[in-house]
Amino acid sequence: MYNELDTYITECSKEGSSDDYWYDVGVIHACQIIDSFKEDDWFELMKHIGEKNTIWKKRLVYCLGDNNREEDVNIILNVIDTGDTELFVMCIDALNEMITEENKSKILCYKNINKALELIPKSGVASKNILERFVQR
């Protein structure tokens, strides 16, 4: 299933690909693929995520978090270490929905909170709300 997801997101991330298509149709299909993941698929995703470009990672992060799986948290925590502000905020937004008592200390690490605090004054209203919600947890 990992290879299917990789191929699909790669196709939807190519230059000239429609963002409208991704958000209207692509996300649903990608989520269906992810929902079929087995342990080896998660392993392959974690193994190859560092090789992916920023658009690919944004597409993936947008699909994660709805099921509050530990694997989702681990993937997002791997992707969050980025110089891309939009991707960072997307990761924080997804993590905001996944924080539980069991994973709170893992998600709310010093590094993520500091970066969020640095970005708040520079952010627009929507991003600012996402970041503030995160640091207030």
Side-chain angles (χ1 to χ4, degrees):
M1 296 307 300
Y2 165 75
N3 289 331
E4 184 179 343
L5 178 71
D6 181 33
T7 300
Y8 188 69
I9 294 179
T10 298
E11 286 299 314
C12 291
S13 301
K14 287 184 176 176
E15 190 172 326
S17 297
S18 167
D19 283 342
D20 289 338
Y21 174 82
W22 173 254
Y23 291 108
D24 291 343
V25 179
V27 169
I28 295 167
H29 184 64
C31 287
Q32 290 170 339
I33 296 169
I34 292 168
D35 287 343
S36 299
F37 267 27
K38 299 201 178 345
E39 187 176 335
D40 60 324
D41 297 306
W42 289 109
F43 176 80
E44 287 299 311
L45 179 57
M46 184 65 88
K47 180 177 160 185
H48 294 287
I49 192 72
E51 304 163 3
K52 303 303 178 188
N53 65 37
T54 301
I55 295 170
W56 198 100
K57 290 176 184 178
K58 288 177 184 177
R59 301 267 197 252
L60 175 66
V61 168
Y62 195 81
C63 297
L64 300 176
D66 287 342
N67 295 317
N68 206 15
R69 292 176 287 242
E70 182 180 346
E71 294 88 353
D72 290 17
V73 172
N74 292 335
I75 294 293
I76 292 172
L77 289 175
N78 183 284
V79 171
I80 200 168
D81 191 16
T82 178
D84 186 275
T85 301
E86 182 180 5
L87 178 56
F88 178 80
V89 173
M90 289 176 74
C91 290
I92 294 295
D93 193 26
L95 291 172
N96 271 335
E97 302 306 318
M98 296 190 285
I99 295 174
T100 64
E101 286 305 314
E102 292 80 28
N103 66 20
K104 190 174 185 174
S105 62
K106 181 166 138 177
I107 291 175
L108 296 175
C109 75
Y110 178 77
K111 182 177 171 184
N112 292 338
I113 291 176
N114 274 353
K115 187 168 181 180
L117 285 168
E118 289 174 18
L119 290 174
I120 289 172
K122 307 171 196 172
S123 298
V125 175
S127 293
K128 185 176 185 175
N129 288 339
I130 291 166
L131 296 167
E132 286 176 341
R133 181 174 170 220
F134 183 75
V135 298
Q136 292 170 357
R137 306 230 27 188

